[in-house]
Amino acid sequence: MDSVLDLLFDHAKGLGLNIVRYNIGGGANPAVDTNMRPFADIPGFRPGGPSAPYDWAADERQRKILLGAMERGVTVTEAFSNSPPFWMTISGSVTGNIGWGKDNLDPNYYDAFVDYLTTIVKHFEEAWGIHFDTINPFNEPVEGWWNIDRRRKAQEGCNFSIPTISKVLLSLQKSLDEKKISTKISAFDSWSQNTCQVLLRMEEDCLKAINQVNVHTYVNVPTKEEGAQRQKVKQRVSLLGKKLWMSEYGPLSWVGEELDIALAVGRHITLDLNDLQPSAWCYWQALEVSGSSWGLLTAPFSYEQKPFVVSLSKQYFVMMHFTRWIRPGFQIFDNASLKDTLVIASNLSGSSLVLVGTNTSNYNKDIRVDLSDLASGLAGTSVQAALFRTSAVENHVELPILYFDSPIVFVRLALKSITSIIIS
């Protein structure tokens, strides 16, 4: 566990990730939810029903990971729910209702669901010193696909109609206020294509309750990135004056070689940072089952298997090019001309300037950047660039330093590679 935590959250030893999203489990119904994925069967804190006490010993493993991540530098935490407890649902299952798009939270339990979430958030702070900055009671609530299907492995999920979303949001704000919890509300963790529609249908009092808008930038056709509607979402959220997160992404529908998929994720991150311009970017699930195209790390999900082997995927090293060098508080510069290739960032003082270039093609690509346009202090000066590259045969390998007589930098991005360029 310590090795995995170091690989993900320690800046010197690993990626230096600084956000954890903690999944408040609903808790599967042992009578019917027998087809849960091993990495999606999250224990609930009140499995016995509305009159039963809370089980604060539940979900010990995920809580240990959260605490270990915070010890290694995590500064931002969010709690989110995929489904209410099974006994609050209409179907009796945390995997969804019977039928496409139907609500699964029993109307009799709107307030009980909210009380469940806020009681957990309050207990985490009082018992373990874990303050959640935000809480999101939904996950892909309007996409419609959370319905019971016993033929496949499942995870927790719950559909919410717009009227139900509104009622839950207002009830959640009231409960946070009454319990004197400073945690803010985030919503809706919908696909970015649906987010504007949901926001437009929200009443003013519901919008006021939301502090942060979370979106998922998945696209149904991997090669059609414009389907994510990034700029449309950015403009709508900006008009509302809300913080914006890209809170979940992974290589949905991507098939092919591991390097190609990893670089496609790098290109997707680049588009998100340039077009969507969120203040946070979160991968869906860092540790995945062996053989999956998802995951920064992979391992067999069997506690009986010895030794427990954790493998680093190409996506791990692609992610390192962003997280090792573009740190919390950095500014992302507008970059329309190379928006799917290059991210340009600096710290607020301008003393650290970072370029991350992703080349998914089968040919080398040359880029030219005039740094004096980005930092006035560089005008007329010579600069040097430290380079790190991941390719078919390299994993964040340091390359020879490049020297330039002027602040105009020319760098060749090798075919099928990602390169971090650190300017000084």
Side-chain angles (χ1 to χ4, degrees):
M1 184 182 74
D2 285 335
S3 296
V4 169
L5 287 167
D6 286 346
L7 285 168
L8 295 174
F9 302 108
D10 189 293
H11 188 218
K13 299 176 183 178
L15 297 180
L17 301 176
N18 76 306
I19 297 173
V20 169
R21 301 185 71 233
Y22 176 86
N23 182 197
I24 295 178
N29 185 344
V32 297
D33 293 325
T34 57
N35 61 323
M36 304 294 287
R37 291 187 182 123
F39 49 88
D41 191 3
I42 309 299
F45 287 97
R46 206 174 189 185
S51 59
Y54 280 82
D55 177 10
W56 296 119
D59 203 22
E60 180 184 12
R61 288 176 178 147
Q62 189 184 188
R63 188 167 64 255
K64 280 184 176 180
I65 291 293
L66 174 57
L67 287 166
M70 293 172 69
E71 291 170 2
R72 287 162 175 80
V74 161
T75 55
V76 180
T77 55
E78 176 169 82
F80 73 101
S81 168
N82 284 334
S83 172
F86 71 87
W87 50 268
M88 294 187 190
T89 67
I90 294 169
S91 67
S93 170
V94 293
T95 67
N97 207 335
I98 300 169
W100 187 270
K102 292 183 178 179
D103 276 21
N104 201 31
L105 175 59
D106 187 327
N108 294 314
Y109 287 112
Y110 286 168
D111 292 337
F113 173 47
V114 162
D115 183 68
Y116 176 74
L117 297 179
T118 55
T119 298
I120 292 167
V121 166
K122 188 175 180 67
H123 185 86
F124 265 59
E125 183 152 6
E126 293 177 345
W128 298 302
I130 300 171
H131 170 74
F132 290 111
D133 297 282
T134 50
I135 180 168
N136 192 336
F138 317 110
N139 179 58
E140 299 181 353
V142 301
E143 279 60 36
W145 41 59
W146 303 118
N147 51 86
I148 296 172
D149 185 350
R150 301 300 180 201
R151 299 166 298 178
R152 59 181 176 85
K153 293 293 184 180
Q155 67 188 64
E156 293 188 354
C158 184
N159 300 312
F160 290 85
S161 64
I162 300 295
T164 304
I165 287 174
S166 300
K167 291 173 183 175
V168 170
L169 284 174
L170 293 176
S171 179
L172 178 57
Q173 184 62 70
K174 181 181 178 183
S175 183
L176 290 169
D177 291 342
E178 288 176 347
K179 292 177 182 175
K180 295 180 171 56
I181 300 171
S182 62
T183 298
K184 305 297 184 183
I185 297 175
S186 59
F188 307 89
D189 270 81
S190 280
W191 279 33
S192 50
Q193 299 93 323
N194 301 325
T195 297
C196 287
Q197 180 183 2
V198 177
L199 288 170
L200 287 168
R201 295 175 64 187
M202 287 283 105
E203 297 293 335
E204 186 64 32
D205 54 349
C206 295
L207 289 174
K208 188 176 180 181
I210 299 169
N211 178 262
Q212 173 179 299
V213 177
N214 289 1
V215 298
H216 302 173
T217 52
Y218 295 110
V219 287
N220 286 316
V221 181
T223 55
K224 294 187 176 180
E225 288 281 13
E226 66 277 6
Q229 300 181 15
R230 296 175 174 90
Q231 292 192 1
K232 183 179 179 182
V233 172
K234 179 189 71 173
Q235 292 165 1
R236 171 54 52 182
V237 175
S238 179
L239 283 172
L240 293 172
K242 307 293 184 183
K243 185 188 295 184
L244 176 61
W245 273 24
M246 202 306 297
S247 55
E248 181 184 318
Y249 180 76
L252 180 71
S253 302
W254 278 102
V255 294
E257 297 296 323
E258 181 184 0
L259 176 64
D260 291 328
I261 295 173
L263 290 175
V265 171
R267 180 174 179 265
H268 187 97
I269 295 172
T270 301
L271 281 164
D272 280 348
L273 295 183
N274 284 325
D275 265 359
L276 186 68
Q277 297 179 5
S279 62
W281 198 97
C282 304
Y283 193 84
W284 159 233
Q285 186 158 272
L287 181 65
E288 276 283 358
V289 64
S290 299
S292 173
S293 62
W294 294 62
L296 308 176
L297 310 172
T298 60
F301 274 68
S302 170
Y303 291 101
E304 288 72 39
Q305 185 164 333
K306 306 292 183 183
F308 191 84
V309 178
V310 176
S311 301
L312 281 65
S313 72
K314 279 291 182 183
Q315 284 186 64
Y316 178 87
F317 294 102
V318 165
M319 186 66 74
M320 181 177 285
H321 283 273
F322 296 95
T323 63
R324 177 66 64 84
W325 305 109
I326 301 176
R327 299 303 298 159
F330 272 48
Q331 172 190 358
I332 307 295
F333 290 99
D334 288 335
N335 180 31
S337 61
L338 290 169
K339 66 180 184 179
D340 67 343
T341 302
L342 189 66
V343 176
I344 305 172
S346 78
N347 60 3
L348 292 181
S349 69
S351 61
S352 181
L353 191 61
V354 177
L355 288 69
V356 181
T358 305
N359 183 5
T360 61
S361 71
N362 291 310
Y363 53 87
N364 297 333
K365 183 181 293 187
D366 294 334
I367 60 170
R368 174 188 182 277
V369 181
D370 188 344
L371 303 176
S372 62
D373 293 339
L374 308 175
S376 58
L378 292 177
T381 66
S382 60
V383 297
Q384 66 181 43
L387 278 71
F388 297 81
R389 186 167 66 204
T390 294
S391 64
V393 294
E394 299 161 309
N395 290 323
H396 198 263
V397 170
E398 187 170 7
L399 305 178
I401 292 176
L402 298 180
Y403 298 89
F404 300 91
D405 292 333
S406 73
I408 299 175
V409 172
F410 294 89
V411 175
R412 171 160 291 178
L413 303 180
L415 60 88
K416 291 193 176 183
S417 71
I418 182 169
T419 305
S420 292
I421 307 158
I422 296 87
I423 304 297
S424 61

